[in-house]
Amino acid sequence: MSSPAIPRSVIEQDLRGLADRLGPARSPELSERVVRLVLSRVGGQVAEDLAAFAGRDAAAHGDQRYIYSGYLSFRSVMAHRLAHAVGTLRLPGVPADLLTAQARRISEEARLATGVEIHPGAAIGRRFVVDHGSGTVIGEDCEIGDDCYFLQNIVLGARDIVARSDGSVRPRRHPRIGSRVQIGGDVCVFGPVCVGDDCVIDPGARITTDVPAGARVRVVSTTQISLTERAPVVHGVAVVAGCLVITGCRLHGTVPVVLDGNRTPCASLTVVGASDTEMHCRPAGDWPARPSALGLLSRGQLVCYVRPVAEVLNRCRDDAGRPQATSCG
């Protein structure tokens, strides 16, 4: 059973306590003016976040008071609402760097208290829920839509370290996340990629390319092998119209092979189309009776392998009309 909603006056009183950390301004009147403007922007957002949390977290049993008094992950979102409002506020006579510095101060204190780091510049839509949250980092350029639900140890970060000290326009570094997106624990999304509306990202995923709206990202186990060159990464394997489709990054120039249980190549694949992020291939020659894994070779060396379910590899063989399978050990 749902508990009564937390009164708006209680939320604003707590936000005022955080806002009092703005530090000295030019006059007490100026400080109060800033606080009033910020509270007018933030109070309603926090009330919506709280109601969404109570409705979506099964462990809370719909109890807003339980969440409000006990969930540090909710407090991290509350602090971000305040920090973002302060950091983006612009008032005549108030130095912008004073407001951005104080916004950062609120954000840093929240990180220490909650284990969740959200940059004040991140733009987050309505009814945002961070459940558990510990280890989550959301970067400055991130844009997140409405009704998103995040779990713990999620990183929305940059692909590279970019410094622009010459005053030139800096490219966007961080992801854009659509509305109604659910992201499981231990997920990293790197770079200026876009994750479309209504996506579900399963735990453990590493995303460096765009994800279309409505998609579900599932993890395929990979082993990374140290090289002097950057190794390819496989994000997924599927059969489409008789072709085995491999998606990932840095795939161009690699040779796909089927591996046996000892990770030894025992069947080859013919590449019918390839780019840096996608490879289409078909079986070539005899196909093993017990395919164990799919590998990528570079200069004759195994640089990456994945273990899709056996049905995926066998379906590719069957769809392509391969002859009777042979044993490969």
Side-chain angles (χ1 to χ4, degrees):
M1 182 179 293
S2 298
S3 67
I6 299 295
R8 176 79 173 267
S9 59
V10 172
I11 293 175
E12 291 189 356
Q13 181 179 358
D14 282 351
L15 286 167
R16 178 176 286 275
L18 289 173
D20 285 343
R21 300 176 185 177
L22 289 174
R26 294 183 179 179
S27 68
E29 293 78 18
L30 188 58
S31 288
E32 180 60 26
R33 181 186 178 197
V34 170
V35 170
R36 286 200 307 269
L37 283 171
V38 166
L39 293 183
S40 68
R41 294 184 177 187
V42 175
Q45 291 179 320
V46 173
E48 279 193 328
D49 294 332
L50 180 59
F53 205 143
R56 301 187 70 173
D57 178 29
H61 304 289
D63 192 336
Q64 290 194 23
R65 295 182 182 276
Y66 175 54
I67 294 169
Y68 192 78
S69 62
Y71 277 49
L72 290 178
S73 57
F74 171 73
R75 292 283 166 166
S76 71
V77 176
M78 186 175 178
H80 173 72
R81 297 296 191 194
L82 179 65
H84 183 73
V86 171
T88 56
L89 188 64
R90 295 295 178 264
L91 292 172
V94 181
D97 59 350
L98 170 66
L99 295 174
T100 55
Q102 300 304 340
R104 184 73 189 207
R105 183 178 173 186
I106 294 169
S107 174
E108 289 293 323
E109 290 183 357
R111 175 179 64 86
L112 292 174
T114 68
V116 178
E117 180 175 351
I118 308 176
H119 193 285
I124 299 178
R126 300 168 61 182
R127 298 175 294 275
F128 181 52
V129 176
V130 175
D131 191 0
H132 302 293
S134 181
T136 291
V137 178
I138 299 176
E140 176 186 15
D141 296 332
C142 287
E143 299 175 13
I144 300 172
D146 298 334
D147 299 297
C148 290
Y149 190 98
F150 288 10
L151 285 167
Q152 71 283 348
N153 202 32
I154 293 168
V155 177
L156 306 184
R159 194 172 301 162
D160 299 296
I161 297 174
V162 179
R164 292 293 179 94
S165 58
D166 58 1
S168 58
V169 177
R170 187 183 63 187
R172 187 170 68 89
R173 298 173 294 139
H174 298 133
R176 288 192 177 106
I177 308 296
S179 295
R180 301 172 301 281
V181 173
Q182 301 177 57
I183 302 184
D186 193 30
V187 168
C188 295
V189 186
F190 291 128
V193 302
C194 294
V195 176
D197 295 344
D198 302 296
C199 287
V200 177
I201 312 298
D202 280 7
R206 300 292 183 268
I207 296 173
T208 57
T209 56
D210 291 350
V211 178
R216 180 160 195 160
V217 178
R218 297 181 183 274
V219 174
V220 177
S221 299
T222 65
T223 296
Q224 180 175 331
I225 302 173
S226 296
L227 296 171
T228 55
E229 301 175 355
R230 298 178 71 187
V233 176
V234 174
H235 296 152
V237 179
V239 177
V240 179
C243 274
L244 190 68
V245 180
I246 307 168
T247 57
C249 59
R250 297 185 292 277
L251 300 180
H252 188 69
T254 60
V255 178
V257 292
V258 178
L259 306 176
D260 63 16
N262 296 317
R263 297 202 292 272
T264 301
C266 60
S268 59
L269 294 160
T270 299
V271 177
V272 296
S275 67
D276 208 39
T277 59
E278 193 167 285
M279 183 181 294
H280 294 239
C281 42
R282 294 183 183 277
D286 292 335
W287 192 260
R290 297 190 300 275
S292 174
L294 179 72
L296 296 178
L297 305 181
S298 178
R299 300 176 185 175
Q301 292 185 339
L302 180 65
V303 293
C304 178
Y305 77 91
V306 298
R307 291 186 180 276
V309 292
E311 287 79 3
V312 173
L313 295 175
N314 287 327
R315 180 183 165 195
C316 177
R317 176 198 64 197
D318 297 341
D319 287 358
R322 290 295 95 199
Q324 181 67 34
T326 59
S327 175
C328 78

